Amino acid sequence: MKPEALIESYVAEVVRYLPRRLRDDVGFELRSLLTEELRGRAGDGEPDTATTLALLADFGRPAEVADRYRPAGFTIIRPADAPRFAWIALGGVAIQWVITLIATYTAPATGAGDDWLSRLGTWWLSAGLGAFWWPGLLVSLSIVAAVITARRGTDASEWTPRAAAGLDRDRISRPLYVLAIAGALVGIAALVAAINLATWWPWLPQPVLDAFVIDETFLTTRAPWALVLWAAAFASMIAVLIAGRWTRTTRLLSIVGNVLWIVLLVWWVAAGPIFVQPAADSVTKGCLILIAAICVLDLVITARHLRRGIPEPAV
Amino acid sequence: MVAIAKHEQDLRKGVLVLAVLSQLREEQYGYSLRQALAERGMPIEEGTLYPLLRRLESQGLLVSRWKAENGPPRRYYALSASGAELCRELSASWASLTTVMSDLLEGGER
C-alpha cells in the first residue's frame, strides 16, 4: 500500500471516532501534518511503506488518538466507587440466581422430559440471563447521575465544615434518638396491650380476641426474658442519649444486646407456639425472624464501627 | 526497577501546556511548532501535540486559521488573549517553582 493511501486510511479511521462536525477539519489537518512528518522522517529520499507504518504506529491507535482530540469526558463511575459498584452489581445478580435456582429446582416436576439439565436451560434463558437487568439498571442510573453532575458543572456539593462534621459517626442526633426511644416504647406498649387484649378491651369482637390469645407456656417461660433485655436496652439507649455519642462501651453493650436478642428471638420461634391460633402464630414468627435479621444487620454494622481504628504498623 | 522513563514523561507532561503556549506568541502550524520545540530540547510526540492544539483551541486559549503559503493549506495557531494571559501566569508560577525546586534539590544534595 502506498504511503499516501496508508495515511488516508489511518486518518479516516481516526475521524470515524470524532464528532461529525469535526471530522473534515481535523481529518484535513491530520493528513497534512502526517504527510509533513513523513517527509521529515524520509529526509531527502522518497517515503516508503515501512517508514509510514512506523510513523503511524508512533502516532497511536486511531481510537486513542481520537480520544486525545476530545475534551476530558465525565466519569460514569468514580474509581473510588468502582469496587463497591462491582460488589453491588454482581452481588445483586448472585442473589437473584440463588433465589431463582432454588425456586427452579424445588418446583414440582411437570413431566417426563423435566430433568435437571432442562430445568437449568430454562432457568438460564429466563431468570439466569434476566438477572442482568440489575447491573444494567445501575449503569443506566450512574450515566444519568454523571450527566446531571456534569451539567451542573461541579463534581459534588461543597465540602463545608458542617458536612465534614458528618465524619463523626459516633455522634448521635438527639431529637432523632428521642424519637427512636419513643417509638420503641410505643411498640412495647402495643405488645403489652395485645397480650392483655381480652382483659383491657373485652368488648372487642371475639375473632380479634381469639387471634391474640397467647400460649400459656410461652407467657410463663420465654416471654419474661424480653423484659430483662428491654430494660437493659433502655438503660443503654439512655446512656447514649445523655452522652450524645456512641462510645466503645456502649457499642460493645449494643453488640451483646443484639446477640442476646437474636438468641431470644430464635428461641421464641423454635421452642413452640407463641399464639394459640396457628395463623397468628405463623405471622408473628415471620415478623420475629425479620426482627432477628435486622438485629444481625445492626450487629454487623456496630462491629464494623468498632473495628474502624487504624492499627499501628509492625516495626 | 524504577520506571525512570515514565516518571520523566510525567514530569514533562506537567509543563507541556506552558511549553506550547510559550511558542505560540507568533503564529505556527503543528509541524513547525513541533520542530521548534524539539530544536529547543522539548521533543513532544506528534500524537500528543496535534490533538493538544485542538483542545487548547476549544478551551479558548488558542485561535487558528487555515492559511496557504507556498504550499498546501495549513492550520496556523496563535495565542488568544486569554491564552496570552494564561501563559504569563504560568510563566510566573514556573519561575517560582524552579526556584523552589532548585532549593529543594540543592538541599537534598548537601
Side-chain angles (χ1 to χ4, degrees):
Chain A
M1 206 170 178
K2 284 187 174 174
E4 297 80 22
L6 273 173
I7 289 178
E8 194 70 38
S9 302
Y10 180 82
V11 170
E13 188 62 17
V14 171
V15 297
R16 201 164 67 83
Y17 296 102
L18 290 174
R20 204 168 288 277
R21 64 192 161 77
L22 292 178
R23 285 180 187 171
D24 288 345
D25 203 39
V26 169
F28 193 89
E29 184 189 22
L30 186 57
R31 189 178 57 194
S32 81
L33 287 168
L34 286 171
T35 307
E36 284 202 57
E37 288 282 352
L38 187 62
R39 277 199 209 113
R41 284 196 183 202
D44 294 334
E46 274 298 303
D48 57 12
T49 306
T51 316
T52 315
L53 288 174
L55 168 72
L56 299 181
D58 286 346
F59 210 83
R61 290 175 201 281
E64 288 171 10
V65 172
D67 284 347
R68 287 180 219 147
Y69 272 99
R70 286 173 176 271
F74 61 90
T75 307
I76 295 174
I77 298 159
R78 286 183 196 168
D81 294 331
R84 193 181 304 173
F85 183 90
W87 274 109
I88 294 172
L90 296 179
V93 172
I95 289 169
Q96 289 180 75
W97 279 358
V98 169
I99 293 170
T100 52
L101 272 172
I102 290 170
T104 300
Y105 283 100
T106 51
T110 53
D114 184 15
D115 57 3
W116 72 271
L117 195 60
S118 68
R119 282 193 183 202
L120 186 67
T122 311
W123 168 81
W124 177 247
L125 292 173
S126 54
L129 284 174
F132 288 103
W133 70 271
W134 173 241
L137 176 73
L138 291 181
V139 171
S140 305
L141 291 176
S142 301
I143 292 171
V144 171
V147 168
I148 291 170
T149 308
R151 287 207 174 155
R152 275 186 190 162
T154 75
D155 201 25
S157 57
E158 201 183 347
W159 177 245
T160 58
R162 193 184 165 84
L167 289 174
D168 183 2
R169 291 188 184 176
D170 290 335
R171 203 179 56 170
I172 59 157
S173 162
R174 280 204 172 95
L176 282 179
Y177 213 73
V178 168
L179 268 179
I181 293 174
L185 281 171
V186 168
I188 293 165
L191 278 172
V192 174
I195 293 167
N196 296 295
L197 214 58
T199 320
W200 293 356
W201 294 289
W203 42 266
L204 281 170
Q206 197 54 41
V208 176
L209 295 178
D210 290 346
F212 285 96
V213 175
I214 295 185
D215 183 82
E216 203 52 44
T217 320
F218 170 77
L219 210 52
T220 51
T221 56
R222 286 173 285 157
W225 291 99
L227 294 174
V228 179
L229 288 187
W230 271 327
F234 271 110
S236 168
M237 286 172 98
I238 300 287
V240 173
L241 183 66
I242 291 167
R245 60 192 303 108
W246 286 93
T247 61
R248 188 174 168 79
T249 313
T250 49
R251 284 206 195 279
L252 280 171
L253 281 173
S254 169
I255 288 175
V256 173
N258 269 321
V259 171
L260 292 174
W261 270 114
I262 293 162
V263 170
L264 184 69
L265 291 172
V266 170
W267 183 37
W268 279 9
V269 170
I274 296 172
F275 283 98
V276 173
Q277 276 209 355
D281 192 58
S282 57
V283 169
T284 306
K285 283 181 174 173
C287 293
L288 291 178
I289 289 168
L290 187 68
I291 293 169
I294 293 170
C295 287
V296 171
L297 188 68
D298 191 43
L299 184 75
V300 172
I301 293 170
T302 312
R304 281 171 67 101
H305 274 290
L306 266 183
R307 280 195 314 141
R308 225 175 50 225
I310 298 168
E312 261 187 53
V315 284
Chain B
M1 194 184 130
V2 182
I4 296 172
K6 170 80 174 68
H7 288 290
E8 196 183 325
Q9 199 183 0
D10 287 346
L11 203 59
R12 282 172 172 273
K13 217 180 267 181
V15 292
L16 201 59
V17 170
L18 179 56
V20 169
L21 294 180
S22 72
Q23 297 304 300
L24 287 175
R25 292 187 182 98
E26 285 172 19
E27 248 183 1
Q28 296 223 51
Y29 68 99
Y31 184 70
S32 66
L33 172 64
R34 202 169 90 78
Q35 299 294 82
L37 285 164
E39 278 166 18
R40 286 167 176 76
M42 178 61 96
I44 300 176
E45 285 175 13
E46 52 270 53
T48 303
L49 178 65
Y50 302 151
L52 174 66
L53 291 171
R54 285 284 177 152
R55 290 208 309 277
L56 292 176
E57 189 192 15
S58 70
Q59 289 168 18
L61 299 170
L62 301 180
V63 285
S64 74
R65 60 177 177 146
W66 284 102
K67 229 164 63 168
E69 280 179 350
N70 308 323
R74 288 166 176 147
R75 197 179 182 96
Y76 281 76
Y77 296 88
L79 290 182
S80 68
S82 52
E85 173 65 24
L86 179 70
C87 188
R88 273 193 297 277
E89 295 283 336
L90 290 182
S91 300
S93 302
W94 173 250
S96 148
L97 197 61
T98 48
T99 311
V100 171
M101 283 309 298
S102 297
D103 281 353
L104 288 173
L105 294 172
E106 280 165 21
E109 282 168 9
R110 263 177 224 152

